[in-house]
Amino acid sequence: MADFVIRIPRVSVAVSEAELTGLLVDAGERVEEGTPIYVIATEKAEQEIEAGASGIVQWTGRVGTTYDIGAEIGVITS
């Protein structure tokens, strides 16, 4: 199975970027699909984002950085 790319999701049509405000799991930690793994903030709200696959998380994004919607911030390897 291929790696699952973790991206900044589109939470609203009007939003074009979001800040990565927190990581809920450490790099190298195993997660199950549906488990909240990181937090993003837009102008209007903060939101926990769930894992889209099960496996080992590796982060490339940095907390405190603002990313465009769709930007890669990590991967989940099976």
Side-chain angles (χ1 to χ4, degrees):
M1 189 162 109
D3 293 347
F4 178 85
V5 177
I6 303 169
R7 299 185 185 277
I8 298 292
R10 179 168 301 283
V11 291
S12 167
V13 184
V15 174
S16 63
E17 61 184 22
E19 180 184 353
L20 178 60
T21 58
L23 301 176
L24 304 177
V25 298
D26 294 327
E29 192 172 332
R30 179 165 180 76
V31 297
E32 297 301 320
E33 184 174 354
T35 303
I37 58 171
Y38 65 101
V39 182
I40 59 169
T42 62
E43 292 177 0
K44 299 187 187 250
E46 198 168 77
Q47 183 174 351
E48 289 186 353
I49 308 300
E50 297 176 349
S54 298
I56 306 298
V57 175
Q58 296 300 330
W59 296 111
T60 55
R62 300 181 84 145
V63 171
T65 303
T66 298
Y67 294 95
D68 290 335
I69 299 305
E72 180 178 329
I73 57 167
V75 294
I76 299 174
T77 57
S78 52

